[in-house]
């Protein structure tokens, strides 16, 4: 699932990433090294939670798609033509 998710994953907006980095630089100039470590620890935890959440969301969507695909009957042109021919025969036989 991780490989599938990675294949279809779209990278986040680069401008947003730059804004985050710039905000971090401004904040790091104002707080102590100890507080910086705490903040980075929280950011790492948040990133890990986001990773797990996005993977769980992808898996749920994938399972839903598989369920829907399993419910659908594949279309067969040949079967459709046979059904129509049979209906015409039945209709002619009743008339």
């Amino acid at each position: 699932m991780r490989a599938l998710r990675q294949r279809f994953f779209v990278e986040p907006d680069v401008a947003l990433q730059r804004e985050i980095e710039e905000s971090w630089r401004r904040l790091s100039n104002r707080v102590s090294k100890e507080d910086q470590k705490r903040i980075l620890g929280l950011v790492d935890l948040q990133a890990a939670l986001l990773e797990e959440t996005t993977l769980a969301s992808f898996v749920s969507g994938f399972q839903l798609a598989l369920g829907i695909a399993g419910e659908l009957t594949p279309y067969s042109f040949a079967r459709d033509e046979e059904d129509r021919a049979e209906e015409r025969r039945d209709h002619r036989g009743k008339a």
Side-chain angles (χ1 to χ4, degrees):
M1 281 300 173
R2 287 183 192 275
L4 278 173
R5 180 184 160 270
Q6 193 170 21
R7 183 183 184 300
F8 295 104
F9 181 72
V10 177
E11 287 294 326
D13 187 8
V14 175
L16 184 59
Q17 185 64 31
R18 286 184 189 145
E19 185 179 336
I20 291 169
E21 289 170 4
E22 181 58 34
S23 294
W24 169 249
R25 276 196 283 283
R26 282 184 268 140
L27 180 63
S28 67
N29 292 332
R30 295 180 177 183
V31 297
S32 69
K33 294 292 179 187
E34 185 177 315
D35 285 341
Q36 286 181 23
K37 288 179 184 179
R38 286 185 186 134
I39 292 168
L40 286 175
L42 288 171
V43 170
D44 288 344
L45 288 172
Q46 186 179 24
L49 179 60
L50 181 59
E51 175 73 19
E52 289 299 314
T53 302
T54 57
L55 180 60
S57 177
F58 179 82
V59 168
S60 295
F62 190 82
Q63 289 173 333
L64 177 61
L66 282 177
I68 291 170
E71 296 276 329
L72 298 176
T73 304
Y75 178 76
S76 169
F77 183 76
R79 187 177 58 237
D80 192 36
E81 286 297 309
E82 289 173 13
D83 291 345
R84 286 185 197 172
E86 189 174 316
E87 285 175 13
R88 283 191 294 262
R89 278 192 303 261
D90 289 345
H91 184 65
R92 282 186 218 155
K94 292 180 183 178

Coordinates of all heavy atoms in Angstrom, one line a residue:
M1 N 0.8 -1.2 0.0 CA 0.0 0.0 0.0 C 0.9 1.3 0.0 O 0.5 2.2 -0.6 CB -0.9 0.0 1.2 CG -2.1 -0.9 1.1 SD -3.1 -0.3 -0.3 CE -4.3 -1.6 -0.4
R2 N 1.9 1.2 0.8 CA 2.8 2.4 0.8 C 3.4 2.7 -0.6 O 3.5 3.8 -1.0 CB 4.0 2.2 1.8 CG 3.6 2.2 3.2 CD 4.8 2.1 4.2 NE 4.4 1.9 5.5 CZ 4.0 2.9 6.4 NH1 4.1 4.1 6.0 NH2 3.7 2.6 7.6
A3 N 3.8 1.6 -1.3 CA 4.3 1.8 -2.7 C 3.2 2.4 -3.6 O 3.5 3.3 -4.4 CB 4.8 0.5 -3.2
L4 N 2.0 1.9 -3.5 CA 0.9 2.4 -4.3 C 0.7 3.9 -4.0 O 0.5 4.7 -4.9 CB -0.4 1.6 -4.1 CG -0.5 0.3 -4.9 CD1 -1.7 -0.4 -4.4 CD2 -0.6 0.6 -6.4
R5 N 0.6 4.2 -2.7 CA 0.4 5.6 -2.3 C 1.5 6.5 -2.8 O 1.3 7.6 -3.3 CB 0.3 5.7 -0.8 CG 0.1 7.1 -0.3 CD 0.1 7.2 1.2 NE 0.4 8.5 1.6 CZ 1.5 9.1 1.8 NH1 2.6 8.4 1.6 NH2 1.7 10.3 2.2
Q6 N 2.7 6.0 -2.7 CA 3.9 6.8 -3.2 C 3.8 7.0 -4.7 O 4.1 8.1 -5.2 CB 5.2 6.1 -2.8 CG 6.4 7.0 -3.0 CD 7.6 6.3 -2.4 OE1 7.7 5.1 -2.2 NE2 8.6 7.1 -2.1
R7 N 3.3 6.0 -5.4 CA 3.2 6.2 -6.9 C 2.2 7.3 -7.3 O 2.4 8.0 -8.2 CB 2.8 4.8 -7.5 CG 2.7 4.9 -9.0 CD 2.2 3.6 -9.6 NE 2.1 3.4 -11.0 CZ 1.5 4.2 -11.8 NH1 0.8 5.2 -11.4 NH2 1.5 3.9 -13.1
F8 N 1.1 7.4 -6.5 CA 0.1 8.4 -6.8 C 0.2 9.7 -6.0 O -0.6 10.6 -6.2 CB -1.3 7.7 -6.7 CG -1.5 6.6 -7.6 CD1 -1.5 5.3 -7.2 CD2 -1.8 6.9 -9.0 CE1 -1.7 4.3 -8.1 CE2 -2.0 5.9 -9.9 CZ -1.9 4.6 -9.4
F9 N 1.2 9.7 -5.1 CA 1.3 10.9 -4.2 C 1.7 12.1 -5.0 O 2.6 12.1 -5.9 CB 2.3 10.6 -3.1 CG 2.5 11.7 -2.2 CD1 1.6 12.0 -1.2 CD2 3.7 12.5 -2.2 CE1 1.7 13.1 -0.3 CE2 3.9 13.5 -1.3 CZ 2.9 13.8 -0.4
V10 N 1.1 13.2 -4.7 CA 1.4 14.5 -5.3 C 2.1 15.4 -4.3 O 1.6 15.6 -3.2 CB 0.1 15.2 -5.8 CG1 0.5 16.6 -6.4 CG2 -0.6 14.4 -6.8
E11 N 3.3 15.8 -4.6 CA 4.1 16.7 -3.7 C 3.3 17.9 -3.3 O 2.6 18.5 -4.1 CB 5.4 17.1 -4.3 CG 6.4 15.9 -4.4 CD 6.9 15.4 -3.1 OE1 7.0 16.2 -2.1 OE2 7.1 14.2 -3.0
P12 N 3.4 18.3 -2.0 CA 2.8 19.6 -1.6 C 3.3 20.8 -2.3 O 4.4 20.7 -2.9 CB 3.0 19.6 -0.1 CG 4.0 18.6 0.2 CD 4.2 17.7 -1.0
D13 N 2.6 21.9 -2.2 CA 3.0 23.1 -2.8 C 4.4 23.6 -2.3 O 4.6 23.7 -1.1 CB 2.0 24.2 -2.5 CG 2.2 25.5 -3.2 OD1 3.1 25.6 -4.1 OD2 1.4 26.4 -2.9
V14 N 5.3 23.9 -3.2 CA 6.7 24.3 -2.8 C 6.6 25.7 -2.1 O 7.4 25.9 -1.1 CB 7.6 24.4 -4.1 CG1 8.9 25.0 -3.8 CG2 7.7 23.1 -4.8
A15 N 5.7 26.6 -2.5 CA 5.6 27.9 -1.8 C 5.2 27.7 -0.4 O 5.7 28.4 0.5 CB 4.6 28.7 -2.6
L16 N 4.3 26.7 -0.1 CA 3.9 26.5 1.3 C 5.1 25.9 2.1 O 5.3 26.4 3.2 CB 2.8 25.5 1.3 CG 2.2 25.2 2.6 CD1 1.6 26.4 3.3 CD2 1.1 24.1 2.5
Q17 N 5.9 25.1 1.5 CA 7.1 24.5 2.2 C 8.1 25.6 2.5 O 8.6 25.7 3.6 CB 7.7 23.4 1.3 CG 8.9 22.7 2.0 CD 8.5 22.0 3.2 OE1 7.4 21.5 3.3 NE2 9.4 21.9 4.2
R18 N 8.3 26.5 1.6 CA 9.2 27.7 1.8 C 8.7 28.6 2.9 O 9.5 29.1 3.7 CB 9.4 28.5 0.5 CG 10.2 27.8 -0.5 CD 10.4 28.7 -1.7 NE 11.1 28.0 -2.8 CZ 10.9 28.2 -4.1 NH1 10.0 29.1 -4.5 NH2 11.5 27.4 -5.0
E19 N 7.4 28.8 2.9 CA 6.8 29.6 4.0 C 7.0 29.0 5.4 O 7.3 29.7 6.4 CB 5.3 29.8 3.7 CG 4.6 30.8 4.7 CD 3.2 31.0 4.4 OE1 2.8 30.8 3.3 OE2 2.4 31.3 5.4
I20 N 6.9 27.7 5.4 CA 7.1 27.0 6.7 C 8.6 27.1 7.1 O 8.8 27.4 8.3 CB 6.7 25.5 6.6 CG1 5.2 25.3 6.4 CG2 7.2 24.7 7.7 CD1 4.7 24.0 6.0
E21 N 9.5 26.9 6.2 CA 10.9 27.0 6.5 C 11.3 28.5 7.0 O 12.0 28.6 7.9 CB 11.7 26.6 5.3 CG 11.7 25.1 5.0 CD 12.3 24.8 3.7 OE1 12.9 25.6 3.0 OE2 12.2 23.6 3.4
E22 N 10.7 29.5 6.3 CA 11.0 30.8 6.7 C 10.4 31.1 8.1 O 11.0 31.8 8.9 CB 10.4 31.8 5.6 CG 10.6 33.3 5.9 CD 12.1 33.6 6.1 OE1 12.9 33.1 5.4 OE2 12.4 34.5 6.9
S23 N 9.2 30.6 8.3 CA 8.6 30.8 9.7 C 9.5 30.2 10.7 O 9.7 30.7 11.8 CB 7.2 30.3 9.7 OG 6.4 31.0 8.9
W24 N 10.0 29.0 10.4 CA 10.9 28.3 11.4 C 12.1 29.1 11.6 O 12.6 29.2 12.8 CB 11.2 26.9 10.9 CG 12.3 26.3 11.7 CD1 13.6 26.0 11.4 CD2 12.2 25.9 13.1 NE1 14.3 25.5 12.4 CE2 13.5 25.4 13.5 CE3 11.2 26.0 14.0 CZ2 13.7 25.0 14.8 CZ3 11.5 25.5 15.3 CH2 12.7 25.0 15.7
R25 N 12.7 29.7 10.6 CA 13.9 30.5 10.8 C 13.7 31.7 11.7 O 14.4 32.0 12.6 CB 14.5 31.0 9.4 CG 15.4 30.0 8.7 CD 16.2 30.6 7.6 NE 15.4 30.8 6.4 CZ 15.1 29.9 5.5 NH1 15.4 28.7 5.7 NH2 14.4 30.2 4.4
R26 N 12.5 32.4 11.5 CA 12.2 33.5 12.3 C 11.9 33.1 13.7 O 12.4 33.8 14.7 CB 11.0 34.2 11.7 CG 11.3 35.1 10.5 CD 10.1 35.9 10.1 NE 9.5 35.1 9.0 CZ 8.2 34.9 8.8 NH1 7.3 35.5 9.6 NH2 7.8 34.1 7.9
L27 N 11.3 32.0 13.9 CA 11.0 31.5 15.3 C 12.2 31.0 16.0 O 12.4 31.3 17.2 CB 10.0 30.3 15.2 CG 9.6 29.7 16.5 CD1 8.8 30.7 17.4 CD2 8.7 28.5 16.3
S28 N 13.1 30.4 15.3 CA 14.3 29.8 15.9 C 15.2 30.9 16.4 O 16.0 30.7 17.3 CB 15.1 28.9 15.0 OG 15.6 29.6 13.9
N29 N 15.2 32.1 15.8 CA 16.0 33.2 16.3 C 15.4 33.8 17.6 O 16.2 34.5 18.3 CB 16.0 34.4 15.2 CG 16.8 34.0 14.0 OD1 17.7 33.1 14.1 ND2 16.4 34.5 12.9
R30 N 14.2 33.5 18.0 CA 13.6 34.1 19.1 C 13.5 33.1 20.3 O 13.2 33.5 21.4 CB 12.2 34.5 18.8 CG 12.1 35.6 17.8 CD 10.7 36.0 17.5 NE 10.6 37.1 16.6 CZ 9.5 37.6 16.2 NH1 8.4 37.2 16.7 NH2 9.5 38.6 15.4
V31 N 13.7 31.8 20.1 CA 13.6 30.8 21.2 C 14.9 30.2 21.5 O 15.8 30.2 20.7 CB 12.5 29.8 20.9 CG1 11.2 30.4 20.7 CG2 12.9 29.0 19.7
S32 N 15.0 29.6 22.7 CA 16.2 29.0 23.2 C 16.4 27.7 22.4 O 15.5 27.1 21.8 CB 16.2 28.7 24.7 OG 15.2 27.7 25.0
K33 N 17.6 27.1 22.5 CA 18.0 25.8 21.9 C 17.1 24.7 22.4 O 16.6 23.9 21.7 CB 19.4 25.5 22.1 CG 20.4 26.4 21.4 CD 20.3 26.3 19.9 CE 21.2 27.2 19.2 NZ 21.0 27.2 17.7
E34 N 16.8 24.8 23.7 CA 16.0 23.8 24.4 C 14.6 23.8 23.8 O 14.0 22.8 23.5 CB 16.0 24.0 25.9 CG 15.2 22.9 26.7 CD 15.3 23.1 28.2 OE1 16.4 23.4 28.7 OE2 14.3 23.0 28.8
D35 N 14.0 25.0 23.7 CA 12.7 25.2 23.1 C 12.7 24.8 21.7 O 11.7 24.2 21.2 CB 12.2 26.6 23.3 CG 11.8 26.9 24.7 OD1 11.5 26.0 25.5 OD2 11.7 28.1 25.1
Q36 N 13.7 25.0 20.9 CA 13.8 24.6 19.5 C 13.7 23.1 19.4 O 13.0 22.6 18.6 CB 15.1 25.1 18.9 CG 15.2 26.6 18.6 CD 16.5 27.0 18.0 OE1 17.2 26.2 17.4 NE2 16.8 28.3 18.1
K37 N 14.4 22.4 20.3 CA 14.4 20.9 20.3 C 12.9 20.5 20.6 O 12.5 19.5 20.0 CB 15.3 20.4 21.3 CG 16.8 20.5 20.9 CD 17.7 19.9 22.0 CE 19.2 20.2 21.6 NZ 20.1 19.7 22.6
R38 N 12.3 21.1 21.5 CA 10.9 20.7 21.9 C 10.0 20.9 20.7 O 9.1 20.1 20.3 CB 10.4 21.5 23.1 CG 10.9 21.1 24.4 CD 10.3 21.8 25.5 NE 10.9 21.5 26.7 CZ 11.3 22.4 27.7 NH1 11.1 23.6 27.5 NH2 11.9 22.0 28.8
I39 N 10.1 22.1 20.0 CA 9.3 22.4 18.9 C 9.6 21.4 17.7 O 8.6 20.9 17.1 CB 9.6 23.9 18.4 CG1 9.0 24.9 19.4 CG2 8.9 24.1 17.0 CD1 9.5 26.3 19.2
L40 N 10.8 21.1 17.5 CA 11.2 20.2 16.4 C 10.6 18.8 16.8 O 10.2 18.1 15.9 CB 12.7 20.1 16.2 CG 13.3 21.3 15.5 CD1 14.8 21.2 15.4 CD2 12.7 21.4 14.1
G41 N 10.6 18.4 18.0 CA 10.1 17.1 18.5 C 8.6 17.1 18.2 O 8.0 16.1 17.7
L42 N 7.9 18.2 18.5 CA 6.4 18.3 18.2 C 6.2 18.2 16.7 O 5.2 17.5 16.2 CB 5.9 19.6 18.8 CG 5.7 19.6 20.3 CD1 5.3 21.0 20.7 CD2 4.7 18.6 20.7
V43 N 7.0 18.9 15.9 CA 6.8 18.9 14.5 C 7.0 17.5 13.9 O 6.3 17.0 13.0 CB 7.8 19.9 13.8 CG1 7.8 19.8 12.3 CG2 7.3 21.3 14.2
D44 N 8.1 16.8 14.4 CA 8.3 15.4 14.0 C 7.1 14.5 14.3 O 6.7 13.7 13.5 CB 9.6 14.9 14.6 CG 10.9 15.5 14.0 OD1 10.8 16.1 12.9 OD2 11.9 15.4 14.7
L45 N 6.6 14.6 15.5 CA 5.4 13.8 15.9 C 4.2 14.2 15.0 O 3.5 13.3 14.5 CB 5.1 14.1 17.3 CG 6.0 13.5 18.4 CD1 5.6 14.0 19.8 CD2 6.0 12.0 18.3
Q46 N 4.0 15.4 14.7 CA 2.9 15.8 13.8 C 3.1 15.3 12.4 O 2.2 14.8 11.8 CB 2.8 17.4 13.8 CG 1.6 17.8 13.0 CD 1.5 19.3 13.0 OE1 2.5 20.1 13.2 NE2 0.3 19.8 12.8
A47 N 4.3 15.3 11.9 CA 4.6 14.7 10.6 C 4.4 13.2 10.6 O 3.8 12.7 9.6 CB 6.1 15.1 10.2
A48 N 4.8 12.5 11.6 CA 4.5 11.1 11.7 C 3.0 10.8 11.7 O 2.6 9.9 11.0 CB 5.2 10.5 12.9
L49 N 2.3 11.6 12.5 CA 0.9 11.4 12.6 C 0.2 11.7 11.2 O -0.7 10.9 10.8 CB 0.3 12.3 13.6 CG -1.3 12.3 13.8 CD1 -1.7 10.9 14.2 CD2 -1.7 13.3 14.8
L50 N 0.7 12.7 10.5 CA 0.1 13.0 9.2 C 0.4 11.9 8.2 O -0.4 11.5 7.4 CB 0.7 14.4 8.7 CG 0.3 14.8 7.3 CD1 -1.2 15.1 7.3 CD2 1.0 16.1 7.0
E51 N 1.6 11.3 8.3 CA 2.0 10.2 7.4 C 1.1 9.0 7.6 O 0.6 8.4 6.7 CB 3.5 9.8 7.6 CG 3.9 8.6 6.9 CD 4.1 8.9 5.4 OE1 4.2 10.0 5.0 OE2 4.1 7.9 4.6
E52 N 0.8 8.7 8.9 CA 0.0 7.6 9.2 C -1.5 7.9 8.8 O -2.2 7.0 8.2 CB 0.0 7.3 10.7 CG 1.3 6.6 11.1 CD 1.6 5.3 10.4 OE1 0.7 4.5 10.3 OE2 2.7 5.1 10.0
T53 N -1.9 9.1 9.0 CA -3.3 9.5 8.6 C -3.5 9.4 7.1 O -4.5 8.9 6.6 CB -3.6 10.9 9.1 OG1 -3.4 10.9 10.5 CG2 -5.0 11.3 8.8
T54 N -2.5 9.9 6.3 CA -2.6 9.9 4.9 C -2.6 8.5 4.3 O -3.3 8.2 3.4 CB -1.6 10.8 4.2 OG1 -0.3 10.4 4.5 CG2 -1.8 12.3 4.5
L55 N -1.8 7.6 4.9 CA -1.7 6.3 4.5 C -3.0 5.5 4.8 O -3.6 4.8 4.0 CB -0.5 5.5 5.1 CG -0.4 4.1 4.7 CD1 -0.2 3.9 3.2 CD2 0.8 3.4 5.5
A56 N -3.5 5.8 6.0 CA -4.8 5.2 6.4 C -5.9 5.6 5.4 O -6.8 4.9 5.0 CB -5.2 5.5 7.8
S57 N -5.9 6.9 5.1 CA -6.9 7.5 4.2 C -6.8 6.8 2.8 O -7.8 6.5 2.2 CB -6.8 9.0 4.1 OG -7.7 9.5 3.2
F58 N -5.6 6.7 2.3 CA -5.3 6.1 1.0 C -5.8 4.6 1.0 O -6.5 4.2 0.1 CB -3.9 6.1 0.6 CG -3.6 5.5 -0.7 CD1 -3.7 6.2 -1.9 CD2 -3.1 4.2 -0.8 CE1 -3.5 5.6 -3.1 CE2 -2.8 3.6 -2.0 CZ -3.0 4.3 -3.1
V59 N -5.5 3.9 2.1 CA -5.9 2.5 2.2 C -7.4 2.4 2.2 O -8.0 1.6 1.5 CB -5.3 1.8 3.4 CG1 -5.9 0.5 3.7 CG2 -3.8 1.7 3.3
S60 N -8.1 3.3 2.9 CA -9.5 3.2 3.0 C -10.1 3.5 1.6 O -11.1 2.8 1.2 CB -10.1 4.3 4.0 OG -9.7 4.0 5.3
G61 N -9.6 4.5 0.9 CA -10.1 4.8 -0.4 C -9.8 3.7 -1.4 O -10.7 3.4 -2.2
F62 N -8.7 3.0 -1.3 CA -8.4 1.9 -2.1 C -9.3 0.7 -1.9 O -9.8 0.1 -2.8 CB -6.9 1.5 -1.9 CG -6.4 0.5 -2.9 CD1 -5.9 0.9 -4.1 CD2 -6.3 -0.9 -2.6 CE1 -5.4 0.0 -5.0 CE2 -5.9 -1.8 -3.5 CZ -5.4 -1.4 -4.7
Q63 N -9.6 0.5 -0.6 CA -10.5 -0.6 -0.3 C -11.9 -0.3 -0.8 O -12.6 -1.2 -1.2 CB -10.5 -0.9 1.2 CG -9.2 -1.5 1.7 CD -9.1 -1.6 3.3 OE1 -9.7 -0.8 4.0 NE2 -8.4 -2.5 3.7
L64 N -12.3 0.9 -0.6 CA -13.6 1.3 -1.2 C -13.7 1.1 -2.7 O -14.7 0.6 -3.2 CB -13.9 2.8 -0.8 CG -15.2 3.4 -1.4 CD1 -16.4 2.6 -0.8 CD2 -15.3 4.8 -1.0
A65 N -12.6 1.5 -3.4 CA -12.6 1.3 -4.8 C -12.6 -0.1 -5.2 O -13.4 -0.5 -6.1 CB -11.4 2.0 -5.4
L66 N -11.9 -1.0 -4.5 CA -12.0 -2.4 -4.7 C -13.4 -3.0 -4.5 O -13.8 -3.8 -5.3 CB -11.0 -3.2 -3.9 CG -9.5 -3.1 -4.3 CD1 -8.6 -3.8 -3.3 CD2 -9.3 -3.7 -5.7
G67 N -14.0 -2.5 -3.4 CA -15.3 -3.0 -3.1 C -16.3 -2.6 -4.2 O -17.2 -3.4 -4.7
I68 N -16.2 -1.3 -4.7 CA -17.1 -0.9 -5.8 C -16.8 -1.7 -7.0 O -17.7 -2.1 -7.7 CB -16.9 0.6 -6.0 CG1 -17.4 1.4 -4.8 CG2 -17.6 1.1 -7.3 CD1 -17.1 2.9 -4.8
A69 N -15.5 -1.9 -7.3 CA -15.2 -2.6 -8.6 C -15.7 -4.0 -8.5 O -16.1 -4.6 -9.5 CB -13.7 -2.6 -8.7
G70 N -15.7 -4.6 -7.3 CA -16.2 -6.0 -7.1 C -17.7 -6.1 -7.3 O -18.3 -7.1 -7.7
E71 N -18.4 -5.0 -7.0 CA -19.8 -4.9 -7.2 C -20.3 -4.8 -8.6 O -21.4 -5.1 -9.0 CB -20.4 -3.7 -6.3 CG -20.2 -3.9 -4.9 CD -21.3 -4.7 -4.2 OE1 -22.4 -4.7 -4.7 OE2 -20.9 -5.4 -3.2
L72 N -19.4 -4.2 -9.4 CA -19.8 -3.9 -10.8 C -19.6 -5.2 -11.7 O -18.7 -6.0 -11.5 CB -18.9 -2.8 -11.4 CG -19.0 -1.5 -10.7 CD1 -17.9 -0.5 -11.3 CD2 -20.4 -0.9 -10.9
T73 N -20.5 -5.3 -12.6 CA -20.5 -6.4 -13.6 C -19.7 -5.9 -14.8 O -20.2 -4.9 -15.3 CB -21.9 -6.9 -14.0 OG1 -22.6 -7.2 -12.8 CG2 -21.8 -8.0 -14.9
P74 N -18.6 -6.5 -15.2 CA -17.9 -6.0 -16.3 C -18.8 -6.0 -17.6 O -19.6 -7.0 -17.8 CB -16.7 -7.0 -16.5 CG -16.6 -7.7 -15.2 CD -18.0 -7.6 -14.6
Y75 N -18.7 -5.0 -18.4 CA -19.5 -4.9 -19.6 C -18.9 -5.8 -20.7 O -17.7 -5.8 -20.9 CB -19.6 -3.5 -20.1 CG -20.4 -3.4 -21.4 CD1 -21.7 -3.4 -21.4 CD2 -19.7 -3.2 -22.6 CE1 -22.5 -3.3 -22.5 CE2 -20.5 -3.1 -23.8 CZ -21.8 -3.2 -23.7 OH -22.6 -3.1 -24.9
S76 N -19.8 -6.5 -21.3 CA -19.4 -7.4 -22.4 C -20.3 -7.1 -23.6 O -21.5 -7.3 -23.6 CB -19.6 -8.9 -22.0 OG -19.4 -9.7 -23.1
F77 N -19.7 -6.6 -24.7 CA -20.4 -6.3 -25.9 C -21.1 -7.6 -26.4 O -22.3 -7.5 -26.8 CB -19.5 -5.7 -26.9 CG -20.2 -5.3 -28.2 CD1 -21.0 -4.1 -28.2 CD2 -20.1 -6.1 -29.3 CE1 -21.6 -3.7 -29.4 CE2 -20.8 -5.7 -30.5 CZ -21.5 -4.5 -30.5
A78 N -20.4 -8.7 -26.4 CA -20.9 -9.9 -27.0 C -22.1 -10.4 -26.1 O -23.2 -10.8 -26.7 CB -19.8 -11.0 -27.0
R79 N -22.0 -10.3 -24.8 CA -23.2 -10.7 -24.0 C -24.3 -9.8 -24.2 O -25.5 -10.2 -24.2 CB -22.7 -10.7 -22.5 CG -23.8 -11.3 -21.6 CD -23.4 -11.4 -20.1 NE -23.1 -10.1 -19.6 CZ -21.9 -9.8 -19.0 NH1 -21.0 -10.7 -18.9 NH2 -21.7 -8.6 -18.6
D80 N -24.1 -8.5 -24.3 CA -25.1 -7.5 -24.6 C -25.8 -7.8 -25.9 O -27.1 -7.8 -26.0 CB -24.5 -6.1 -24.6 CG -25.6 -5.0 -24.6 OD1 -26.6 -5.2 -23.9 OD2 -25.4 -4.0 -25.2
E81 N -25.1 -8.1 -26.9 CA -25.7 -8.5 -28.2 C -26.5 -9.8 -28.1 O -27.6 -9.9 -28.7 CB -24.6 -8.7 -29.3 CG -24.0 -7.3 -29.8 CD -25.1 -6.5 -30.4 OE1 -25.8 -6.9 -31.3 OE2 -25.2 -5.3 -30.0
E82 N -26.0 -10.8 -27.4 CA -26.8 -12.0 -27.2 C -28.1 -11.7 -26.4 O -29.1 -12.3 -26.8 CB -25.9 -13.0 -26.4 CG -24.8 -13.6 -27.2 CD -23.9 -14.5 -26.3 OE1 -24.3 -14.8 -25.2 OE2 -22.8 -14.8 -26.8
D83 N -28.0 -10.9 -25.4 CA -29.2 -10.6 -24.6 C -30.3 -9.9 -25.5 O -31.5 -10.2 -25.5 CB -28.9 -9.7 -23.4 CG -28.1 -10.4 -22.4 OD1 -28.1 -11.6 -22.4 OD2 -27.6 -9.7 -21.5
R84 N -29.8 -8.9 -26.4 CA -30.7 -8.3 -27.3 C -31.3 -9.3 -28.3 O -32.5 -9.2 -28.6 CB -30.0 -7.2 -28.1 CG -29.7 -6.0 -27.2 CD -29.1 -4.9 -28.1 NE -28.5 -3.9 -27.2 CZ -27.7 -2.9 -27.6 NH1 -27.5 -2.8 -28.9 NH2 -27.2 -2.0 -26.8
A85 N -30.5 -10.1 -28.8 CA -31.0 -11.1 -29.8 C -32.1 -12.0 -29.1 O -33.1 -12.3 -29.7 CB -29.9 -12.0 -30.4
E86 N -31.8 -12.4 -27.9 CA -32.7 -13.3 -27.2 C -34.1 -12.5 -26.9 O -35.1 -13.1 -27.0 CB -32.1 -13.7 -25.8 CG -32.9 -14.8 -25.1 CD -32.2 -15.3 -23.9 OE1 -31.0 -15.6 -24.0 OE2 -32.9 -15.4 -22.9
E87 N -34.0 -11.3 -26.6 CA -35.2 -10.4 -26.3 C -36.0 -10.3 -27.6 O -37.2 -10.4 -27.6 CB -34.8 -9.0 -25.8 CG -34.4 -9.0 -24.4 CD -33.9 -7.6 -24.0 OE1 -34.1 -6.6 -24.7 OE2 -33.3 -7.5 -22.9
R88 N -35.3 -10.2 -28.8 CA -36.0 -10.1 -30.0 C -36.7 -11.4 -30.3 O -37.8 -11.4 -30.8 CB -35.0 -9.7 -31.2 CG -34.7 -8.2 -31.2 CD -33.9 -7.8 -32.4 NE -32.6 -8.5 -32.5 CZ -31.5 -7.9 -32.2 NH1 -31.5 -6.7 -31.7 NH2 -30.4 -8.5 -32.3
R89 N -36.0 -12.5 -30.1 CA -36.6 -13.9 -30.3 C -37.8 -14.0 -29.4 O -38.9 -14.5 -29.9 CB -35.6 -15.0 -30.0 CG -34.7 -15.3 -31.2 CD -33.9 -16.5 -30.9 NE -33.2 -16.5 -29.7 CZ -31.9 -16.2 -29.5 NH1 -31.1 -16.0 -30.6 NH2 -31.3 -16.3 -28.4
D90 N -37.7 -13.7 -28.1 CA -38.8 -13.8 -27.2 C -40.0 -12.9 -27.7 O -41.2 -13.3 -27.6 CB -38.4 -13.4 -25.8 CG -37.5 -14.4 -25.2 OD1 -37.4 -15.5 -25.7 OD2 -36.9 -14.1 -24.1
H91 N -39.7 -11.7 -28.1 CA -40.7 -10.8 -28.5 C -41.4 -11.3 -29.8 O -42.7 -11.2 -29.9 CB -40.1 -9.4 -28.8 CG -41.1 -8.3 -29.1 ND1 -42.1 -7.9 -28.2 CD2 -41.3 -7.6 -30.3 CE1 -42.8 -7.0 -28.8 NE2 -42.4 -6.8 -30.0
R92 N -40.7 -11.9 -30.7 CA -41.3 -12.4 -32.0 C -42.1 -13.6 -31.6 O -43.2 -13.9 -32.2 CB -40.2 -12.8 -33.0 CG -39.7 -11.6 -33.7 CD -38.7 -12.1 -34.8 NE -37.6 -11.1 -34.8 CZ -36.4 -11.4 -35.2 NH1 -36.1 -12.6 -35.6 NH2 -35.5 -10.5 -35.2
G93 N -41.7 -14.4 -30.7 CA -42.4 -15.6 -30.3 C -43.7 -15.3 -29.7 O -44.7 -16.1 -29.8
K94 N -43.8 -14.2 -29.0 CA -45.1 -13.8 -28.3 C -46.0 -13.2 -29.2 O -47.2 -13.1 -29.0 CB -44.8 -12.9 -27.1 CG -44.1 -13.6 -26.0 CD -43.8 -12.6 -24.9 CE -43.0 -13.3 -23.8 NZ -42.6 -12.4 -22.7
A95 N -45.5 -12.6 -30.3 CA -46.4 -11.8 -31.3 C -47.1 -12.7 -32.2 O -47.1 -13.8 -32.4 CB -45.5 -10.8 -32.0

